[in-house]
Amino acid sequence: MTKICRLLPLLAALVVLMTACSQRVREIPPVESAMAKAMKDFNREHYVDAQERFDQMSLDYAGSALMDSITYMSGECGYQMENFLLAADQFEQVVSLYPTSPLVDDARIRVADCYYELSPKYALDQSYTYRAIQEYQMLLDEYPDSKFRTLAEERVSACRYKLAFKDFKAAELYYRLNQWPAAIIYCNDILEDWYDQPTVCERAHFLKARCYVAMKLTEEARATLDDFLQTWPDSEYKEDAASELKALTE
């Protein structure tokens, strides 16, 4: 016990010495030098190494004027590695923590891009699709002159098409199952909610008419077919619709 007590001061001194040595060994380089090395890894597509550098820089240079760039590039590494949720978090930090940064516009579109990439096939849960629309719309509302405006509009439309098509497939399924009232509800929702998706609306409008025909609701079928032919005069279904309408009036 006495020997151990005598060794304690020596051990404590050794720990202090080792700590001091380790602190001296790791010298923090200028932020510009560290950024250059990280960007070199990124440009070589060594994204894991680059992200490790950027994440370390966020600790070493917390008060640096380059923190917006460091945070953004950490997110970009995650995006390139398809770690979209983690990447979105980094891009959101740029928007919230550095609102005057020139990278805010880029970060905002990247947040939306992350959720766009996470959006699954139409048959699956579409929570990420709705989130992508929300993020792109925020960009369009807050930055109407954004250089990414055209891209954002195109992707909002693509997301809305997917959601509209999902509803149409549900309507089509109910039609095949002879659940015509349910199919009509979906068709009406499509025509009201997804009015900017003409390809899907055209098909939903015709399917609605076919439901009324199947239900033998002659007046509703006739009115819907007539409305369809007036709304979609060049439709690929116009001959079928005209034939159905003729059969109902004879």
Side-chain angles (χ1 to χ4, degrees):
M1 183 69 178
T2 303
K3 290 182 179 180
I4 294 176
C5 291
R6 290 176 181 174
L7 288 173
L8 286 176
L10 180 61
L11 291 172
L14 181 60
V15 170
V16 172
L17 179 62
M18 291 175 65
T19 302
C21 289
S22 64
Q23 290 176 344
R24 286 198 298 269
V25 167
R26 186 177 180 277
E27 295 182 359
I28 298 177
V31 64
E32 293 80 9
S33 175
M35 177 64 85
K37 291 180 180 178
M39 288 303 300
K40 185 176 182 180
D41 281 337
F42 180 84
N43 291 329
R44 290 179 173 178
E45 300 183 4
H46 299 166
Y47 299 123
V48 173
D49 294 336
Q51 187 162 47
E52 288 179 356
R53 289 186 183 275
F54 286 122
D55 290 346
Q56 184 61 53
M57 289 173 68
S58 68
L59 300 175
D60 292 342
Y61 310 102
S64 170
L66 293 179
M67 271 305 299
D68 58 337
S69 297
I70 293 169
T71 306
Y72 179 87
M73 289 308 303
S74 178
E76 192 63 32
C77 289
Y79 184 88
Q80 296 301 328
M81 292 187 290
E82 300 185 0
N83 295 327
F84 296 119
L85 286 176
L86 292 175
D89 181 67
Q90 292 294 87
F91 294 129
E92 286 172 345
Q93 286 188 45
V94 175
V95 175
S96 61
L97 298 179
Y98 313 104
T100 60
S101 169
L103 292 172
V104 166
D105 197 15
D106 300 74
R108 174 65 78 189
I109 193 73
R110 270 309 199 211
V111 172
D113 288 344
C114 287
Y115 290 110
Y116 182 82
E117 294 294 342
L118 287 166
S119 174
K121 294 180 179 180
Y122 77 87
L124 303 176
D125 178 75
Q126 295 300 308
S127 296
Y128 287 133
T129 308
Y130 280 105
R131 182 64 184 274
I133 291 174
Q134 178 185 1
E135 294 295 339
Y136 282 123
Q137 195 59 55
M138 286 176 64
L139 173 73
L140 293 169
D141 293 342
E142 296 179 17
Y143 307 98
D145 299 323
S146 171
K147 60 186 176 182
F148 301 113
R149 184 173 187 83
T150 299
L151 174 62
E153 290 174 339
E154 289 174 351
R155 290 197 164 178
V156 166
S157 182
C159 288
R160 286 180 62 81
Y161 174 83
K162 182 186 291 187
L163 296 172
F165 188 72
K166 180 181 178 69
D167 282 355
F168 176 76
K169 296 303 287 186
E172 197 173 48
L173 176 61
Y174 279 121
Y175 177 82
R176 292 200 303 269
L177 294 174
N178 298 338
Q179 299 295 314
W180 301 304
I184 289 172
I185 290 173
Y186 269 93
C187 289
N188 285 334
D189 287 345
I190 291 168
L191 294 170
E192 181 177 350
D193 297 337
W194 312 118
Y195 53 86
D196 58 328
Q197 301 302 317
T199 302
V200 182
C201 284
E202 176 188 342
R203 296 173 69 181
H205 202 161
F206 184 56
L207 182 62
K208 177 182 175 180
R210 293 180 68 192
C211 288
Y212 283 128
V213 171
M215 295 168 69
K216 302 186 185 306
L217 296 175
T218 304
E219 291 302 319
E220 290 85 349
R222 186 185 295 124
T224 305
L225 286 166
D226 186 61
D227 185 36
F228 174 82
L229 289 169
Q230 292 184 47
T231 305
W232 314 98
D234 299 319
S235 172
E236 63 178 297
Y237 308 112
K238 64 180 180 181
E239 292 184 4
D240 290 335
S243 178
E244 292 272 13
L245 184 59
K246 182 179 179 181
L248 291 172
T249 55
E250 289 179 347

